[in-house]
Amino acid sequence: MSTASLHDVWVYLAASPLTGLTATLVAYQAGTWLSARCGGHPLANPVLVAVVLLVAGLAASGIDYRTYFAGAQFVHFLLGPATVALAVPLYSQIRAIRRAAGAMTAALLAGAVTSAVGVVVLGRALGASEQTVLSLAPKSATTPIAMGVAERIGGLPSLTAVFVILTGIIGATLGGWALRLGGVRAARDVGFALGTAAGGIGTARAFQHSETAGAFSGLAMGLCGLATAVLVPLLNGVMW
Amino acid sequence: MIAWITVLLACQLAGEGTALLLGLPVPGPVIGMVLLFIGLSVRGGVPEGLRDAAGGLLRHLSLLFVPAGAGVAAHVARLEGEALPIAAALVLSTLAALLATGWVMRILGGRSES
């Protein structure tokens, strides 16, 4: 039996799901390592670092995203059970949540409308194409809802998924700083704002802050998804 | 551990089924979250094992967004062509939404104990 050449091994491994899965975990480890090295500095966000490393790695190796995702989907799949698991911190915080229910409804509407109207008006004013603008509109909702909304109003669902992640990374990296500057400090308020404006990645960031912030963020993420599903198609008919 | 992961998956499955059956625009896992929440309320507490399983997943929530985030790779051409309007619109609208939400919470939310 002859041994395979290095090239044959590479061709085989590049197409194997194991490579995409391992690369995802390695990139994330690098992200958490860098984040710890930088004392948890928001710009060293683990998701941001991992995404940058993976995109560079895919470009350098010539592996296309679909081949990569065949392996990475095993990690992606866990988003479902993790969303279900948000019921646990939610339940632990239910008394604080009940107390602030009225404020949360108003805050959610303020955030969801500001996000959707803001991104569309700015995108148009700065000269983005119409399809990009329509793909941007639902960017504060959680990915599956955002993709559904984009499809309904004429955007590109896969592009919207990218915008949701970019929004999450922006919120997670700049959010704590912006809220502090704006005088918003209570864990409850910071968490709720992160979940509304920056979805799941904002929620991951809020859990680093405290369990209270994480619970409010997870709740806000779910509610913002619902608000976006109703509001964006409505706004789309009325104002743009 | 496996028992509690089974519970999480069963809630998600029931959520997906409900969404399909009733034609709801809400994702299955969000309905699954509501179902688990109702279960915890009925039971009146969070079992130790479930707290561990949920905590394990949520501690590494960031990791779970990495595969979708790498999807940027599939849209490089469009993102390059429109990089400036996209980046400015995303950053400014996200900051505005954060502040709008945070301010309304702070003004209307009353005192919070943390």
Side-chain angles (χ1 to χ4, degrees):
Chain A
M1 204 177 118
S2 71
T3 52
S5 76
L6 214 56
H7 180 259
D8 295 337
V9 172
W10 167 246
V11 167
Y12 174 78
L13 287 182
S16 154
L18 179 63
T19 309
L21 180 58
T22 310
T24 305
L25 292 171
V26 168
Y28 180 69
Q29 294 294 334
T32 46
W33 176 82
L34 193 68
S35 169
R37 273 301 293 266
C38 300
H41 191 280
L43 283 178
N45 181 276
V47 184
L48 176 62
V49 175
V51 166
V52 169
L53 287 175
L54 284 168
V55 170
L58 291 180
S61 63
I63 297 174
D64 71 356
Y65 178 68
R66 260 213 254 154
T67 308
Y68 158 78
F69 194 78
Q73 64 172 326
F74 300 112
V75 169
H76 182 77
F77 173 81
L78 290 175
L79 271 176
T83 303
V84 176
L86 284 170
V88 173
L90 213 57
Y91 179 80
S92 308
Q93 298 288 331
I94 189 62
R95 282 172 51 200
I97 287 168
R98 276 220 191 96
R99 244 193 333 268
M104 285 178 356
T105 311
L108 177 79
L109 286 176
V113 171
T114 304
S115 171
V117 173
V119 83
V120 167
V121 169
L122 282 165
R124 270 226 181 107
L126 297 169
S129 72
E130 192 56 21
Q131 199 166 39
T132 300
V133 168
L134 292 175
S135 308
L136 279 167
K139 53 103 183 172
S140 271
T142 179
T143 314
I145 295 185
M147 290 174 78
V149 171
E151 189 154 37
R152 219 164 114 199
I153 64 173
L156 283 176
S158 69
L159 188 61
T160 296
V162 169
F163 291 151
V164 171
I165 303 277
L166 290 175
T167 299
I169 291 175
I170 291 166
T173 49
L174 303 178
W177 164 81
L179 289 168
R180 227 175 5 260
L181 267 186
V184 179
R185 283 160 208 275
R188 179 195 68 185
D189 303 349
V190 170
F192 200 78
L194 280 172
T196 302
I201 298 178
T203 299
R205 176 76 185 156
F207 271 112
Q208 290 178 355
H209 190 289
S210 67
E211 208 216 38
T212 305
F216 273 90
S217 190
L219 179 64
M221 174 186 94
L223 293 175
C224 184
L226 295 184
T228 304
V230 177
L231 283 173
V232 169
L234 215 64
L235 288 170
N236 186 47
V238 180
M239 66 160 283
W240 64 66
Chain B
M1 186 74 175
I2 296 295
W4 296 112
I5 289 177
T6 312
V7 169
L8 293 177
L9 288 174
C11 286
Q12 185 184 348
L13 193 62
E16 309 269 17
T18 308
L20 280 176
L21 218 59
L22 304 180
L24 299 175
V26 188
V30 173
I31 299 176
M33 173 176 80
V34 174
L35 293 176
L36 180 60
F37 183 84
I38 293 170
L40 293 174
S41 305
V42 169
R43 191 182 180 279
V46 181
E48 196 63 34
L50 179 62
R51 189 172 285 286
D52 292 344
L57 272 173
L58 294 177
R59 243 191 319 283
H60 295 291
L61 192 56
S62 297
L63 164 67
L64 312 186
F65 293 100
V66 171
V72 171
H75 289 284
V76 169
R78 179 185 292 259
L79 294 172
E80 268 174 3
E82 301 181 56
L84 185 72
I86 289 172
L90 280 178
V91 170
L92 294 177
S93 69
T94 303
L95 291 180
L98 275 163
L99 288 173
T101 315
W103 282 335
V104 174
M105 277 303 279
R106 196 186 68 172
I107 293 163
L108 299 182
R111 263 159 43 89
S112 74
E113 72 253 31
S114 66

